[in-house]
Amino acid sequence: MLDLINVSYDTQIPNNVGLSQDKKVLKALEKWHPGYINWWNHLIPQNFQESMVYLRTAVSVDPKGWAKFDYVKMPEYRWGVLLAPQVEDRRIPMGEHKGELAWQEVPGEYRNMLKRLIVIQGDTEPGSVEQQKFLGLTAPSLYDMRNLFQVNVEEGRHLWAMVYLLQKYFGRDGREEADDLLRRSSGSDEAPRMLGAFNEETPDWLSFFMFTYFTDRDGKMQLESLAQSGFDPLSRTCRFMLTEEAHHMFVGETGVGRVVQRTCEAMNEAGITDPYAIGKIRDLGVIDLPTIQKKLNLHYTLSLDLFGQEISTNAANAFNSGIKGRYMESRIEDDHQLKDATYDVKTVKDGKIVTEAAPALTAINMRLRDDYVRDAAGGVGRWNKIIEKAGVNFELTLPHEGFHRQIGVFSTVAVDPAGNIISSEDWEKRRGEWLPTKADGDFIQSLMKPCYEPGKYASWIAPPKVGIDNKPGDFEYVRLHMA
Amino acid sequence: MNKPLKQHLIDPEICIRCYTCEMTCPVQAIEHDDNNVVVDASKCNFCMDCIPVCPTGSIDEWRVVEEPYSLDDQYSWTELPEQADIASADTSIEAMDDAMAALLAEAHAGAGGKAKPPATASKPTVNMYNLGKPAEATVQGNYRLTDEGGEADVRHIILDFGSLPFPVLEGQSIGIIPPGTDAEGKPHLPRLYSVSSPRDGERPGFNNVSLTVKREDKGLCSNYVCDLGKGDRVRVTGPFGATFLMPGDPDARLLMICTGTGSAPMRAFTMRRQRTVGGKSGGMTMFFGARTPESLPYFGPLKKVPDALLKKHLVYSRQPGQPKEYVQDRMVAEQEAVAELLGDPNTYIYICGLRGMEEGVEKTLTNIAESIGQQWTALRDTMRDEGRYHVETY
């Protein structure tokens, strides 16, 4: 009997989709596998590949099997194809097919749309690993290094998940797309990753934490929407990926929180009360809060661009055809078809930012972005609690959604973080107040010195409150290979 | 509510509000507002499904309460309240289900008060599997530890959990559910057995545990376990126990006093040290009593453990041609060494075995404590409060 909960290791590829009985797809995946391993091996510096990393591997898709912790070398991590259990009699939750049985095969009329969504999602996964490939060299602790590698191997597994869908359901096109996912490369001139934010560098650990907090959170919102899909295999894949994505949110939120905490502690120890005494604070070997705000501004706004145009017929079509839902679709109380509904959308008219009601169907992207902003604000509030508790007079804020935008209605105007439209000249003049300058980057870079002793942390970051898998403070999360 | 209740709570300072627990909970006991994620005490059935899925470690929090915290209480928190002092309640949670908790409370009663875990002990996982949802293990082996034909039949049983997670620490117990039903047609309650293997498995890196089980005359579960053959499937609950644990500090000194199958946790402690720090530790001293060498479990392997790791005093009460000797007699003979251990604030005492051993051991410890000018009950209470005195008898 086919065991759909526990992971089967009877092929080279751990899976709970009965690969050993699906010769065609198995063959395609086995053909793709060496290219993947090759990609991984050329990515991350060799001594980390040889190191034993205390990683979490999913051994089954029921809750008890999501988190089996053990030491493993990254190239030997059990990447695989894991889908959440199939819900019997699942119905399409939204759009014109609402209430019909969910599709187990790709409906021909939506084939291209579906493929495109899967390829875009799939392209982000290896992209972020490429952006982060050198961070291990400057890890502020073994704990953080372990978290980085956990994020990396799970992004790798998410690529597997998307590649499986392409190979299984899209025939020759799918195989070509799967190969292209390994051909494109972050920041490359000839074949860059598809989305802008995934071609930006992740030069330092604060960027990494901001990236996992803000940019991976876009990934979470996209996965939540795809988990509603009427195409059942996509829905089940995304549901399982979300459990891993939660770990990435954790790395981002606690990472930034620990940087903020260390800065406040150092200020208090040195008796500095003015958070803008930047020189004096930097002399303490910590990152001043105004610079953290600038990094936040940058990563938040790059991530907002990932939601695309506020008004989008593509998004409307995807919703209407039952391919992609809204965030927490099942918890929204409406007709799930958006027949006559409207949604408030921000736009620019006569040099002013105004709110206009638009057909809700075309405003799907806007709605998802609003949900994102709400979700992202939560962690910022918790960082502010750390600052408040330390008695420092400073507040981190999310800038106005029109600030520093390259995509959507705000891309044509210059908006300051408070939401005022100003002239492009003024904006450029003040850029350095709002976004990290080269000097800011150089300073952060100067702090990026590795700290590889178990239980020790770099000067600019506080230790975590609890260890991974309840491990004690001096646990050796990575047994470094010293060649 | 006429008795204290164990309530599941989420630490709002550590939670990142990803709501994975809420999506996972099979009984919709978890909900959230813009502020916090909270657990409804009237719905939570301790199934533990939410524990492994949490990315942060904020979810495994428990408080013993007279009156459960309401959802509104929990929504208003910015941090978790401390455990309130509840008279006579056992506030370190050894098991979620009352039957198992009662069994452990009885086993630990000999410590003379509420037991606490060593400060440096690893955090145990408790109650991952219960009677309603047991784990299934496969018997990998069943070996007789005592001489064939001898009166005592003690077995070393190895259970393999396959791909099923079963995190267990040395000193913890697991429940075995004997098949069949009782006279009233109800399924049998699990019987508790202390694991005798270390946390990384009987064989390192393997997901298996070993038990040390003595066949009891007419014992329903012990006969079932002792008769198990390779490949048999067994239903298991647990792990249980959150105080009888070893310190993580390698410099801690362990004084272990046991009889018969009470050696199970001691074997686990010893193997853990052997695999991690070996002789470079604070050392362990063992007083181990049996009737004869032939009925002393693990006699052969024990002999091979180097003294630098474990000082062994194997004591026999029915050795032909020799006077009867019990563990307390040998402790008297070694009283200088024992006194030195008692005086060291880095010493941890573990007593495990038949209930009958308690009295003699206590008396001896009282005398030895006096010899260094300490009143035993006061010293014992201090040690227990510091997580350094542990008793498990049956």
Side-chain angles (χ1 to χ4, degrees):
Chain A
M1 200 193 80
L2 201 53
D3 185 346
L4 295 173
I5 298 282
N6 292 306
V7 177
S8 148
Y9 290 102
D10 59 354
T11 65
Q12 214 179 1
I13 302 148
N15 69 90
N16 71 337
V17 291
L19 262 191
S20 61
Q21 289 156 53
D22 193 346
K23 294 292 177 217
K24 212 174 99 204
V25 177
L26 178 61
K27 213 176 121 203
L29 276 171
E30 282 176 348
K31 219 173 141 198
W32 184 82
H33 188 203
Y36 173 81
I37 292 295
N38 188 45
W39 169 79
W40 183 273
N41 278 331
H42 281 88
L43 202 58
I44 291 173
Q46 196 56 33
N47 62 321
F48 298 131
Q49 306 271 14
E50 297 284 324
S51 298
M52 298 297 280
V53 188
Y54 193 69
L55 292 178
R56 175 181 81 165
T57 308
V59 295
S60 82
V61 295
D62 69 338
K64 300 259 152 81
W66 284 353
K68 192 162 161 59
F69 288 90
D70 209 345
Y71 285 102
V72 58
K73 286 185 190 166
M74 284 189 282
E76 290 162 19
Y77 183 80
R78 303 308 296 260
W79 283 289
V81 181
L82 303 170
L83 273 61
Q86 190 167 349
V87 175
E88 218 173 301
D89 197 42
R90 178 168 177 263
R91 304 277 160 168
I92 297 168
M94 67 273 154
E96 60 176 293
H97 301 287
K98 178 177 173 281
E100 294 172 23
L101 267 181
W103 302 300
Q104 299 304 327
E105 293 294 335
V106 177
E109 53 193 309
Y110 304 135
R111 186 185 155 88
N112 281 335
M113 191 195 305
L114 250 175
K115 193 179 71 188
R116 186 165 168 73
L117 282 174
I118 293 170
V119 168
I120 291 177
Q121 182 66 41
D123 194 62
T124 64
E125 314 288 0
S128 65
V129 186
E130 289 160 358
Q131 290 170 294
Q132 298 158 8
K133 61 183 171 183
F134 292 126
L135 286 177
L137 298 170
T138 55
S141 70
L142 293 180
Y143 167 89
D144 290 289
M145 184 189 280
R146 179 253 163 224
N147 284 351
L148 166 72
F149 291 155
Q150 181 79 58
V151 170
N152 289 164
V153 293
E154 284 175 351
E155 299 294 7
R157 205 200 65 74
H158 292 180
L159 171 62
W160 270 94
M162 292 298 126
V163 164
Y164 168 73
L165 293 179
L166 289 170
Q167 310 256 30
K168 164 102 180 153
Y169 297 100
F170 294 91
R172 172 194 282 272
D173 301 2
R175 287 196 295 281
E176 281 170 11
E177 293 285 6
D179 291 341
D180 281 350
L181 289 173
L182 292 178
R183 195 178 53 80
R184 281 188 292 272
S185 171
S186 177
S188 152
D189 288 333
E190 308 89 65
R193 292 291 166 194
M194 297 168 90
L195 300 176
F198 293 88
N199 287 306
E200 299 281 333
E201 257 189 282
T202 308
D204 58 68
W205 277 79
L206 183 55
S207 305
F208 170 63
F209 294 139
M210 289 290 182
F211 182 95
T212 42
Y213 186 82
F214 287 110
T215 308
D216 279 347
R217 188 172 306 273
D218 160 69
K220 170 182 142 177
M221 307 305 284
Q222 301 296 343
L223 288 176
E224 285 274 9
S225 315
L226 292 172
Q228 310 292 335
S229 181
F231 179 48
D232 206 38
L234 178 60
S235 161
R236 292 170 55 204
T237 304
C238 291
R239 265 186 283 143
F240 190 69
M241 288 163 73
L242 277 166
T243 61
E244 291 163 323
E245 205 66 29
H247 176 264
H248 309 179
M249 303 292 104
F250 156 76
V251 170
E253 179 168 336
T254 56
V256 176
R258 287 161 54 216
V259 177
V260 167
Q261 174 158 357
R262 184 64 204 117
T263 302
C264 294
E265 283 167 8
M267 286 172 64
N268 283 339
E269 286 158 17
I272 301 172
T273 51
D274 177 10
Y276 294 95
I278 289 172
K280 277 205 276 180
I281 294 169
R282 288 186 176 183
D283 286 345
L284 304 172
V286 297
I287 305 170
D288 53 283
L289 298 174
T291 300
I292 296 175
Q293 175 71 58
K294 287 192 209 173
K295 284 285 222 187
L296 181 160
N297 290 348
L298 175 68
H299 286 273
Y300 174 63
T301 51
L302 287 173
S303 305
L304 288 179
D305 279 343
L306 292 171
F307 290 87
Q309 302 289 338
E310 287 82 354
I311 299 292
S312 160
T313 44
N314 278 344
N317 288 339
F319 178 87
N320 203 34
S321 52
I323 298 297
K324 185 175 173 184
R326 293 169 292 178
Y327 180 61
M328 303 234 176
E329 182 74 43
S330 56
R331 298 200 180 187
I332 302 173
E333 283 182 23
D334 65 9
D335 67 350
H336 299 281
Q337 294 183 313
L338 302 176
K339 281 197 172 121
D340 307 304
T342 59
Y343 190 82
D344 284 346
V345 176
K346 294 254 175 55
T347 186
V348 179
K349 269 226 169 110
D350 306 325
K352 286 203 181 76
I353 297 170
V354 294
T355 305
E356 278 183 351
L361 200 53
T362 59
I364 292 284
N365 283 348
M366 182 72 207
R367 180 178 177 124
L368 189 62
R369 201 178 80 199
D370 284 344
D371 288 328
Y372 169 84
V373 170
R374 243 189 312 279
D375 202 51
V380 178
R382 290 187 286 281
W383 297 333
N384 282 328
K385 282 225 176 83
I386 298 172
I387 301 174
E388 194 188 310
K389 230 176 169 173
V392 174
N393 186 18
F394 190 88
E395 197 178 340
L396 292 167
T397 51
L398 290 177
H400 187 272
E401 59 197 320
F403 171 70
H404 186 233
R405 295 295 307 280
Q406 316 301 322
I407 288 176
V409 291
F410 297 112
S411 62
T412 55
V413 285
V415 180
D416 72 8
N420 306 303
I421 295 183
I422 58 176
S423 75
S424 304
E425 294 79 48
D426 283 349
W427 196 95
E428 277 306 328
K429 251 185 252 160
R430 300 189 62 188
R431 183 188 181 100
E433 292 172 38
W434 302 325
L435 293 169
T437 60
K438 177 151 188 318
D440 294 330
D442 289 347
F443 167 69
I444 295 175
Q445 210 47 252
S446 76
L447 295 179
M448 296 297 127
K449 302 265 161 52
C451 182
Y452 290 167
E453 201 184 321
K456 294 276 188 298
Y457 290 81
S459 66
W460 52 272
I461 190 164
K465 285 201 184 99
V466 280
I468 296 294
D469 190 29
N470 278 324
K471 291 296 173 204
D474 59 353
F475 184 73
E476 193 174 6
Y477 288 99
V478 181
R479 292 194 188 134
L480 282 174
H481 175 79
M482 296 296 180
Chain B
M1 200 73 50
N2 51 12
K3 64 172 177 175
L5 168 103
K6 291 162 200 131
Q7 184 174 12
H8 181 201
L9 298 168
I10 296 171
D11 188 337
E13 282 187 291
I14 294 174
C15 168
I16 61 160
R17 282 77 175 169
C18 67
Y19 315 127
T20 309
C21 53
E22 181 176 333
M23 314 287 180
T24 306
C25 179
V27 294
Q28 281 81 46
I30 302 180
E31 50 185 89
H32 71 269
D33 68 358
D34 285 342
N35 195 25
N36 284 346
V37 186
V38 300
V39 187
D40 188 336
S42 69
K43 291 184 187 160
C44 174
N45 63 1
F46 307 124
C47 76
M48 305 280 154
D49 273 4
C50 57
I51 306 293
V53 303
C54 172
T56 70
S58 63
I59 190 114
D60 198 5
E61 291 290 343
W62 307 85
R63 293 290 183 272
V64 178
V65 291
E66 304 270 14
E67 200 60 55
Y69 293 107
S70 70
L71 295 180
D72 283 342
D73 289 340
Q74 297 177 55
Y75 278 134
S76 72
W77 289 343
T78 52
E79 53 191 73
L80 267 190
E82 292 286 325
Q83 171 65 53
D85 255 334
I86 293 174
S88 80
D90 178 8
T91 48
S92 60
I93 293 167
E94 309 235 41
M96 300 301 163
D97 39 305
D98 293 340
M100 294 302 115
L103 280 178
L104 278 166
E106 201 188 329
H108 294 171
K114 205 189 93 53
K116 284 190 183 157
T120 59
S122 298
K123 190 170 172 178
T125 303
V126 170
N127 251 86
M128 203 158 168
Y129 302 92
N130 53 36
L131 194 57
K133 264 208 258 176
E136 213 178 50
T138 309
V139 177
Q140 264 184 328
N142 177 345
Y143 310 95
R144 188 170 168 132
L145 293 169
T146 48
D147 263 17
E148 286 295 339
E151 49 182 325
D153 180 7
V154 181
R155 300 274 174 163
H156 184 68
I157 319 268
I158 303 170
L159 299 178
D160 182 75
F161 287 97
S163 64
L164 210 58
F166 202 96
V168 60
L169 293 177
E170 307 80 15
Q172 283 195 293
S173 299
I174 65 172
I176 301 282
I177 308 173
T181 53
D182 63 15
E184 290 168 32
K186 285 199 221 131
H188 293 296
L189 280 180
R191 305 296 199 273
L192 284 181
Y193 295 98
S194 184
V195 299
S196 51
S197 52
R199 65 190 73 180
D200 57 341
E202 169 71 7
R203 190 172 158 198
F206 282 70
N207 192 15
N208 55 12
V209 303
S210 68
L211 304 176
T212 313
V213 181
K214 182 175 182 229
R215 188 188 295 277
E216 299 293 341
D217 192 28
K218 300 205 180 90
L220 170 83
C221 197
S222 71
N223 275 293
Y224 163 65
V225 175
C226 288
D227 289 338
L228 284 170
K230 195 171 175 205
D232 286 350
R233 308 282 283 166
V234 185
R235 291 184 303 151
V236 180
T237 65
F240 302 113
T243 61
F244 196 104
L245 302 171
M246 69 185 292
D249 175 10
D251 293 328
R253 304 171 73 193
L254 272 53
L255 172 58
M256 309 184 291
I257 305 161
C258 61
T259 58
T261 55
S263 58
M266 314 312 185
R267 177 179 185 264
F269 291 174
T270 309
M271 289 176 74
R272 173 67 185 165
R273 279 260 166 117
Q274 208 165 17
R275 285 184 193 173
T276 51
V277 287
K280 285 175 289 193
S281 65
M284 313 167 81
T285 303
M286 171 187 246
F287 291 90
F288 186 175
R291 292 165 81 91
T292 59
E294 294 74 35
S295 64
L296 186 130
Y298 307 111
F299 180 79
L302 250 183
K303 283 279 189 195
K304 290 188 203 136
V305 179
D307 270 5
L309 177 71
L310 176 72
K311 281 194 201 66
K312 301 159 287 282
H313 298 284
L314 308 182
V315 183
Y316 310 108
S317 59
R318 298 288 188 281
Q319 183 81 310
Q322 302 227 353
K324 287 183 182 179
E325 189 184 20
Y326 295 98
V327 281
Q328 58 267 33
D329 301 330
R330 183 64 69 90
M331 287 167 68
V332 171
E334 295 285 332
Q335 70 164 293
E336 250 173 65
V338 176
E340 196 271 323
L341 280 166
L342 284 189
D344 186 343
N346 212 14
T347 297
Y348 292 72
I349 301 182
Y350 297 86
I351 299 171
C352 189
L354 292 173
R355 181 135 310 144
M357 74 183 285
E358 270 178 29
E359 197 189 331
V361 170
E362 279 253 23
K363 220 165 131 189
T364 304
L365 287 171
T366 307
N367 290 338
I368 297 176
E370 243 168 48
S371 74
I372 52 168
Q374 298 251 28
Q375 200 217 344
W376 168 244
T377 48
L379 177 62
R380 180 195 67 189
D381 289 352
T382 307
M383 290 187 76
R384 196 186 55 237
D385 263 358
E386 294 172 358
R388 299 194 291 119
Y389 185 69
H390 302 274
V391 177
E392 194 164 292
T393 55
Y394 36 85

